[in-house]
Amino acid sequence: MKTAAFTPMRLLDPLFTTDPMREIFSDAQRLQRMLDFEAALAGALVMAAIAPASVLPAIKSQCKTDRFEFAAIAREAALAGNIAIPLVKALSSLVAREDTKAATFVHWGATSQDAIDTGLVLQLRDALELIEEGLANLHGALSRLAETHETTIMAGRTWLQQGPPVTFGLKVAGWLGAIERHQTRIERAREQAMVLQFGGAVGTLAALDGRGLEVAAALAHELKIALPELPWHAHRDRLGEVATTLGLLVGTLGKIARDVSLMAQTEIDEVQEPAAPGRGGSSTMPHKRNPVGSAVALAAAIRVPGLVSTMLTAMVQEHERGLGGWHAEWETLPEICMLTAGALGQMTQTIEGLEVHPEKMRENLDVTHGLVLSEAVSFALAAKIGKKQARQIVEEACRQALDQRRQLRDVLFERKDVTDQLSMQEISQLLDPNHYLGSAGEMMKSVLSPSRKPRKKAKRDSSSRGSSE
Amino acid sequence: MKTAAFTPMRLLDPLFTTDPMREIFSDAQRLQRMLDFEAALAGALVMAAIAPASVLPAIKSQCKTDRFEFAAIAREAALAGNIAIPLVKALSSLVAREDTKAATFVHWGATSQDAIDTGLVLQLRDALELIEEGLANLHGALSRLAETHETTIMAGRTWLQQGPPVTFGLKVAGWLGAIERHQTRIERAREQAMVLQFGGAVGTLAALDGRGLEVAAALAHELKIALPELPWHAHRDRLGEVATTLGLLVGTLGKIARDVSLMAQTEIDEVQEPAAPGRGGSSTMPHKRNPVGSAVALAAAIRVPGLVSTMLTAMVQEHERGLGGWHAEWETLPEICMLTAGALGQMTQTIEGLEVHPEKMRENLDVTHGLVLSEAVSFALAAKIGKKQARQIVEEACRQALDQRRQLRDVLFERKDVTDQLSMQEISQLLDPNHYLGSAGEMMKSVLSPSRKPRKKAKRDSSSRGSSE
Amino acid sequence: MKTAAFTPMRLLDPLFTTDPMREIFSDAQRLQRMLDFEAALAGALVMAAIAPASVLPAIKSQCKTDRFEFAAIAREAALAGNIAIPLVKALSSLVAREDTKAATFVHWGATSQDAIDTGLVLQLRDALELIEEGLANLHGALSRLAETHETTIMAGRTWLQQGPPVTFGLKVAGWLGAIERHQTRIERAREQAMVLQFGGAVGTLAALDGRGLEVAAALAHELKIALPELPWHAHRDRLGEVATTLGLLVGTLGKIARDVSLMAQTEIDEVQEPAAPGRGGSSTMPHKRNPVGSAVALAAAIRVPGLVSTMLTAMVQEHERGLGGWHAEWETLPEICMLTAGALGQMTQTIEGLEVHPEKMRENLDVTHGLVLSEAVSFALAAKIGKKQARQIVEEACRQALDQRRQLRDVLFERKDVTDQLSMQEISQLLDPNHYLGSAGEMMKSVLSPSRKPRKKAKRDSSSRGSSE
Amino acid sequence: MKTAAFTPMRLLDPLFTTDPMREIFSDAQRLQRMLDFEAALAGALVMAAIAPASVLPAIKSQCKTDRFEFAAIAREAALAGNIAIPLVKALSSLVAREDTKAATFVHWGATSQDAIDTGLVLQLRDALELIEEGLANLHGALSRLAETHETTIMAGRTWLQQGPPVTFGLKVAGWLGAIERHQTRIERAREQAMVLQFGGAVGTLAALDGRGLEVAAALAHELKIALPELPWHAHRDRLGEVATTLGLLVGTLGKIARDVSLMAQTEIDEVQEPAAPGRGGSSTMPHKRNPVGSAVALAAAIRVPGLVSTMLTAMVQEHERGLGGWHAEWETLPEICMLTAGALGQMTQTIEGLEVHPEKMRENLDVTHGLVLSEAVSFALAAKIGKKQARQIVEEACRQALDQRRQLRDVLFERKDVTDQLSMQEISQLLDPNHYLGSAGEMMKSVLSPSRKPRKKAKRDSSSRGSSE
């Protein structure tokens, strides 16, 4: 196996991505997927009776990465401008050793970009399947967390300032709702992008003598991907959509991570990332538990937008096949997939094992001595004496409570302009956070409702992921 | 009208955007759409019997931008942190002058972000409608151009080097296919994003005493937008999707512009952007026609990716309502819409009036003395003597033709290793570009086929775009 | 004055930028700076005896924005592809009405880009001067704040978790040090970028008959900017450097804003942004003070990186003068300047009026019951019994303290493996944050030292900023 | 050697970067540079008499990457959140096997980030040295090319349209001038960034008992980098400046590549990238020579801006040490360095071996039949009859020449309004491109002048680059 040396784990891989995604975008798989294309092409040429059936065994048997010298291909690619040229050359030589006639039909009618792009599509199929599985897992974890904390009360926070209460369940339901929308988006992007690239030198399949579409159809069928209306060598919107769709997902993962890490601040301590031996330790502060999962997701949320902008900028590709833009994608799109997988994996682990401190949530709700519920009083008063006057009274009372470090309730009890309108019992109730949750419960239910059709957990069909040998 | 001064055209607006899109994102419309929200909210409160019907006239009559001092709102927004706070304050004062009770119900139960976000959604509804109209126009122009040039032959080009021939029709069909995919994407993004924002301070609608969802439903109905499962104050994926979808579209417009401008190079001269008095003139070179439309689309294709990355980065918003991320969107998303409209408008004009020079296309195909068709000979020989040997012969012949500046045909005629396999007539036919177009014709037909369900040209329903007063 | 209507404040301007910066990049100034170029060019042509002195008055008297119809120029620019073409045309007409001979020498030898680029350089000169003034102000405010809080102790925080103590002064000194580095960078970028653009159609000054460099030198002298070795129409690195330099500055402003907003969280409450009537109020929560200054700086830190990437992408400009890249800069670089000014202004105000709560800082340092000082104990023990064993003991003690919610000190007092090595007095001292500040004091002094040459506060030389009329 | 497996070449490395730069940012070097920090720290602790001299051999002998299990460190880093934690743990164990006392002083007083950041600075020192060498080489190649083609005449091009002539030498001088400015910028960025990171847990060096600055000074001295005023854990402007400076350089490399690839278009054919076996070949078009060097540089110019924006976005790091932002840098800055090296290397090769076709340049200048020199006639006429009238006449003549496909000269000869002002000889001379080069020659000389102090070619001081063992 010459392959092994070419799929090593790098130092930061386990932190920033997952093993399966790293494997999909390893050099070995990059080549294997191109070889899958070449093997399937041979099959398609035979089906279209362009090549004799006899050429198949010789070609298919060589379409395995372990037959190739990676370093030599890499070096030649630096001169040729892409890896398909040396790969096809090496494949032809290998096949020729067995069967010179078969060698003629290697890559017949195709251009480098056909092999590279279709190979990428096959890698993306695996990648999106992984992401969908990951999303299903995160979805499950979030659903459970939301249900568990349906009534766990905590401070709502806006502009990093405390506001009226929410439930932790509602907050989690918000994360969940976004994840569901991403599931829909990824399905759509997948449908758009899982298409064959096969056009020959300039997209006309001229070398196939007018039988190009027949070969293309057979090839798409063999590879189990769709046949597009036209080759899309210089039209990269489908790949761009994969990038933007993952970019949107990573934005949400970053948002969840930001929330988790803010709640995990030492002073707030409402949640902690899961504990595990070696996890989140600090080299100098033995008691600390660093939110490693959040750090990874936040890092991805900082990195992926720039990579997405690269994919969009790269779309301006010249004529039938472009210069530079295409090259700019080769490492960028895999990087997006790997960072997405890493962030998704880390946040899933984080959510699955999240330590939640409901008592601390409740405690934090009291740090303002009731001020976060001033809105409740304000609205109750407004309904009686008008908003403007109500707001003035409440603002005064709040300031008093702040200055004197007293409970808002006690201040309100003393104000005749308040007690004229509201009884002490009414005031107490208004300042009870459990009575100021509005429609939180109902809203959550609509997200968690079991009647909503559950998105099936993607099952990995291993047969479709292996090499097509 | 105090409004007028706040929607001025700026110097570069006519170049980079269109008048209707500029109007949609004018300051006046920004305020009007927020006021539409406030007016509809009053109606919804009445429907839910939270406010008496009597408050409606006083509120609705003031929800018009011409009642407001823009400069004062702008100045106060710099302190308040957003424009809804001073707007609502001013609105309350105006209403109070007429009806103090009504003033109490202004903005009742809502938070600033509800007004700002829903206002933005209403602006985006108009914006996406415009884009869809624009796409329908461009689609039409491209269809016509592709049909006209179904058989216009020209050099295919890869890596900026000539390759085998294509038809200009096929090139245009490629543009067209991409535009169709963008039409689908925009439809989807629109469906996702056209949703109400209404959650109150922290997304629970707590101030509405458990009747929040009822009010929300009435409000969404009034504004003719969908009611989402949850308020989405800190979940910006829907807006992000609008941004990325337009970003993808602009990438394609940039690609078309790059192609047009390369074909319009003085030495190549296969197309020219449409002539018009004052269009594309140079201040010092009277004979030049600068590809202004392409310049605008290319500029957009350079600018929008960075703006999209901003929208993605901004998604990391804290807790119930974030700090900074939300603010980062306010000018960015409108800018994306305006640049998209500008690029779309300019490229539509460019395509509609494109001057095409078929004779020059044909002429350019000959500059290599037949070398661009060497592939045809190579494949024909390969079928007889194997690919490797065929390629060697053709490479030699090509080098000879290049060095001696002769026609490839003449060189081939002289080579016995060629003429042993192919008759002169066969060679001549192989070197006739019309015989080396592969499946170009068939491919085009599948894109242009009248049987494909035509996407209806979006009709602007003016009623849905006016203020809801 | 036709100008007025073209420099209106827009709704979000006061929030996101400053009035003087908005003025510099107003449409009126954009045109005026180009007219300054045209006026100076006339002077230079006269000095080089290419034009007779008699042409000067007619030209100079028309080089004022109030002579021009902005809307007409804007509309024509949409056809011409830039604003210089219609501006020069209009200027020539205006001059011709007075003196037809003079009209001939309007724009003589120059190309549109000469006027636009040099005009931009003149705007940037003003802009960078403003930024430098702003930085001097922020520098002063930070120096004062750091000195005031030289010994104010607070929790250090890493990964959003509390660590050992720092002083607030040291934190501020860190901000200050970064600001000083930015001052140096901006000086350098200014020196690089303040150069004339003057090359004629393709950068050879061919229309000036070999006297081009003479005219160029006179022109640079007149405009008080440097004469570069070559025209730089398609080499945009100087402008790119202005963008990146401001981008770096905004990154630091965002970092300060993040720190301030985190410290201002309700639960932490160590600082608050300055209070002012209307500042940071919430529409529904009367007691809240939103960190508006931080929000603006954070928004800038999200937006500017994308704009910087646009400027870098736009650098790939074709041949002597490019297509699209140049256009992409026209709104982008001004936007970067305006956002930088806004963030700088808001953070300066924030720092100048920052409310600091030293008692709360001290209080927060105790929330871990001493755990944040475990490192001190760990190191003291390690010096006696080796690091590995020391760490084990301290980790155990920390866990005990956490689980039992007791002071670390009390736990340590009970452990014989600790008291064998350290006396109770030693332990107490190790757990006193004032004894665990390391070199904080010394470090701060090196930043604040009065012996360091103070950077002079930039004085605005108003003469150089007015129009050159 | 366990190291080897961790610095493999990946498939696309030879295309997109250079071997020496890949080596600098290999995993092995990443760890070695951190170990260099640890070794030097031990030395500094000894110098400050904090650790006994006896600990040095045990520590230094283990600070070699071949002692470590990379995979284990990578796996643990995924839990710990960074690679320094497992590395230091492993180092301590290795040292402890030899000398338990020495193990205590491993990493003494430092935090993970000190090792990671300083290690990065040491890598960047090597990287910037490589870039400076590369720039010196490119500078040399450009100087030679400019000198060779000082008088080679060609069409100037603006907006991708031909304009008046330039010399190829002047075009190259423009590239050269930009490269020189980048040399200056890189020198400055290097000075700023080559500083020690050493602050301990929160930047106070508290664990060093007040002797922190002494240790820091010794450490900086040992590593031959500067000692900054303050630790800069959460202030990333210096690293950001490295990123932006390289970003600007790549922009220029992309501009050169765009120019080269446009000139190398089949129809224009003024230059070709150097030929070499296997270089730029096409898999299907044997005669084509693809501009591979330009493709690589253009790809870098598309990718690096997004990566720069990531570095800027990542600057917003919280408090004493941040969360996510720091992580976002770890792969991004190395990637910028590697892409810059690749683009620089490819463009240097391209320029060094560039095939220039002066005769084709001259030929292309004639494709407009003299129209590109219409400006010369226009100015000559304007000097006699005024600009407006002159321009009208020339525009008419140009249109006539275009329509009739005749030489402009012949058209002008026939026009009495022209010949009244200019003799036929004068007209002929005006239309001779050699007479319309303006100050091109003088300008070039100022760039190429031997009196300008040549920037010395950076000599690689190998001693400073090896591991400090």
Side-chain angles (χ1 to χ4, degrees), chain A residues 155 157-164 258 261-262 264-270 272 282-292 295 309 313 359-360 363-364 367-368 371-375 378-379 391 394-395 398 402 405, chain C residues 155 157-164 258 261-262 264-270 272 282-292 295 309 313 359-360 363-364 367-368 371-375 378-379 391 394-395 398 402 405:
Chain A
R157 294 183 181 99
T158 67
W159 295 63
L160 294 182
Q161 302 287 302
Q162 281 197 9
R258 179 68 58 84
S261 60
L262 288 172
Q265 287 172 102
T266 306
E267 299 85 354
I268 293 182
D269 193 31
E270 295 178 341
Q272 289 297 328
S282 155
S283 65
T284 54
M285 287 165 283
H287 66 286
K288 277 184 64 177
R289 201 186 307 160
N290 286 331
V292 172
S309 79
T313 304
E359 70 300 337
K360 186 72 187 173
E363 207 180 305
N364 284 336
V367 300
T368 63
L371 291 189
V372 293
L373 286 148
S374 61
E375 188 191 75
S378 195
F379 273 100
R391 177 169 287 192
V394 173
E395 278 192 40
C398 285
L402 267 175
R405 299 191 162 228
Chain C
R157 293 182 182 99
T158 67
W159 294 64
L160 293 182
Q161 301 288 302
Q162 281 197 7
R258 179 69 58 84
S261 60
L262 287 172
Q265 287 171 101
T266 307
E267 299 85 353
I268 293 183
D269 193 29
E270 295 178 342
Q272 288 297 329
S282 156
S283 65
T284 54
M285 288 165 281
H287 66 285
K288 275 185 65 177
R289 198 185 312 158
N290 285 331
V292 173
S309 79
T313 303
E359 69 299 337
K360 187 71 186 172
E363 209 180 302
N364 285 337
V367 299
T368 63
L371 291 188
V372 292
L373 286 149
S374 61
E375 186 190 75
S378 196
F379 273 99
R391 177 170 286 191
V394 173
E395 277 192 43
C398 286
L402 268 175
R405 298 192 165 229

Side-chain angles (χ1 to χ4, degrees), chain C residues 6 10 79 136 211 225 252 284 297 417 450:
Chain C
F6 270 77
R10 291 187 307 159
L79 294 168
R211 310 251 301 285
I225 47 181
T252 290
T284 54
D417 49 5

Side-chain angles (χ1 to χ4, degrees), chain D residues 68 72-78 80-91:
Chain D
F68 295 84
I73 290 172
R75 291 284 171 209
E76 286 176 51
N82 70 55
I83 48 175
I85 293 175
L87 180 70
V88 169
K89 206 174 118 202
L91 176 60

